[in-house]
């Protein structure tokens, strides 16, 4: 295998496609089109609530990619624990929990590793802006950056496999939590992306996110809304591979 192929294989393992589609038919069609370029498919609330666990089987039946179940769990620790128990039966690699309810809820993640389920804590939603923090009860002067770093530290201490954060916090979280703590970055917008202004404010390119230390990136609309989604995914793979190339 040439170096380039090795890098492209590594790049594929780092690319998560967000299956933000309304139903199973659309999901299957995306998986069939993209599975050779994408290492993991992310199933979120819209699709999972509509189709239930059957949609996970549909992804598995049509690809060898991993599954990221992005349910952003948020409840008392006992309930989150039971939800994680149920999720572990679905052979998914990643699942998300919110990190804003403190240590006990995050500690439910600890024992999931042995079952092959990596629990990722959401640091701060990318839709939240800094000026909203005081109204939510946070101290004046607290930055989103610091809040994300504090929550990542809590998630690490509690035994989570990693966090989801914006590209702006990757380097700080990697430096603070170490190389084995996974950092997953959404809000990816390649320079060439045809996606216009949307709800993502703290955005980075695939290359920037990887260079700052992201283990995986989540991409939805820049692939889904492209004229040729497969070509867009392959272009992102090239960009990731280039950033992985040793200097
Ligand atoms: O279409 P786009 O590339 O913006 O998709 C981003 C995906 O990442 C969506 O599924 C969204 O729910 C998810 N996400 C995010 N910001 C977070 C956590 C998850 O955009 N903080």
């Amino acid at each position: 295998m040439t170096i380039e192929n090795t890098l492209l294989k590594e790049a594929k393992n780092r690319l998560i496609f967000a299956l933000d589609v309304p139903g199973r038919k659309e999901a299957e069609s995306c998986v069939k089109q993209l599975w050779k370029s994408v290492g993991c498919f992310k199933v979120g609330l819209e699709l999972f609530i509509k189709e239930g666990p059957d949609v996970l089987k549909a992804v598995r039946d049509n690809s060898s990619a991993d599954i990221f179940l992005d349910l952003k769990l948020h409840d008392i620790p006992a309930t989150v624990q039971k939800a994680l128990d149920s999720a572990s039966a679905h052979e998914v690699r990643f699942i998300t929990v919110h990190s804003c309810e403190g240590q006990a809820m995050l500690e439910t993640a600890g024992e999931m590793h042995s079952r092959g389920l990596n629990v990722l804590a959401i640091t701060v939603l990318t839709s939240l802006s800094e000026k909203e923090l005081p109204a939510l009860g946070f101290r004046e002067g607290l930055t989103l950056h610091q809040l994300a770093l504090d929550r990542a530290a809590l998630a690490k201490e509690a035994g989570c496999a990693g966090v989801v954060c914006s590209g702006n916090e990757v380097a700080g979280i990697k430096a603070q939590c170490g190389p084995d703590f996974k950092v997953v970055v959404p809000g990816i917008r390649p320079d060439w992306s045809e996606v216009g202004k949307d709800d993502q404010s703290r955005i980075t390119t695939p290359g920037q996110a990887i260079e700052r230390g992201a283990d995986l990136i989540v991409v939805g609309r820049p692939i889904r809304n492209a004229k040729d989604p497969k070509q867009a995914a392959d272009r992102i793979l090239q960009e990731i591979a280039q950033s992985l190339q040793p200097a």
Side-chain angles (χ1 to χ4, degrees):
M1 195 181 269
T2 65
I3 290 177
E4 201 192 342
N5 278 343
T6 314
L7 282 178
L8 282 174
K9 198 170 162 222
E10 168 67 9
K12 180 184 168 189
N13 289 336
R14 288 168 177 253
L15 180 57
I16 302 173
F17 175 69
L19 271 175
D20 293 332
V21 292
R24 181 187 169 132
K25 240 175 72 186
E26 295 88 345
E28 272 178 359
S29 140
C30 286
V31 171
K32 281 180 187 160
Q33 187 180 25
L34 296 171
W35 72 273
K36 285 191 181 155
S37 308
V38 165
C40 182
F41 288 99
K42 183 171 87 70
V43 174
L45 288 168
E46 178 188 12
L47 188 57
F48 194 73
I49 289 175
K50 173 92 184 293
E51 302 287 358
D54 280 356
V55 77
L56 306 178
K57 186 176 177 317
V59 175
R60 268 198 305 275
D61 287 349
N62 289 286
S63 81
S64 54
D66 288 325
I67 298 178
F68 175 173
L69 189 53
D70 188 16
L71 297 185
K72 298 187 176 71
L73 302 173
H74 186 180
D75 212 313
I76 58 170
T79 303
V80 171
Q81 177 78 69
K82 290 196 172 102
L84 291 175
D85 283 344
S86 299
S88 70
H90 292 309
E91 297 170 51
V92 300
R93 178 154 179 234
F94 299 107
I95 191 163
T96 42
V97 299
H98 274 289
S99 63
C100 50
E101 293 298 337
Q103 192 90 356
M105 199 190 94
L106 293 170
E107 279 172 358
T108 59
E111 71 182 63
M112 290 296 135
H113 295 296
S114 59
R115 300 195 220 166
L117 181 60
N118 291 277
V119 179
L120 302 172
I122 303 290
T123 52
V124 183
L125 288 176
T126 39
S127 52
L128 190 71
S129 71
E130 207 155 271
K131 62 178 190 308
E132 292 175 88
L133 293 182
L136 291 171
F138 292 99
R139 68 172 189 274
E140 285 289 340
L142 177 68
T143 61
L144 279 177
H145 188 85
Q146 190 55 51
L147 182 59
L149 256 64
D150 290 350
R151 287 180 172 175
L154 201 65
K156 170 141 199 250
E157 210 179 305
C160 291
V163 287
V164 180
C165 67
S166 91
N168 298 343
E169 290 98 42
V170 184
I173 290 175
K174 273 287 173 189
Q176 172 185 270
C177 298
D180 295 336
F181 190 64
K182 292 216 175 331
V183 178
V184 178
V185 177
I188 300 293
R189 293 293 176 266
D191 285 337
W192 45 265
S193 173
E194 286 155 30
V195 178
K197 183 122 186 66
D198 56 35
D199 57 347
Q200 293 288 17
S201 52
R202 293 181 291 148
I203 59 172
T204 37
T205 67
Q208 282 166 343
I210 296 295
E211 278 154 30
R212 290 175 193 175
D215 294 285
L216 297 121
I217 61 171
V218 179
V219 187
R221 284 163 287 188
I223 294 176
R224 205 173 61 247
N225 295 352
K227 280 192 199 87
D228 183 338
K230 167 84 170 101
Q231 196 181 59
D234 287 339
R235 205 165 162 185
I236 291 173
L237 283 188
Q238 291 286 347
E239 198 173 326
I240 297 173
Q242 214 153 13
S243 299
L244 292 171
Q245 194 121 35

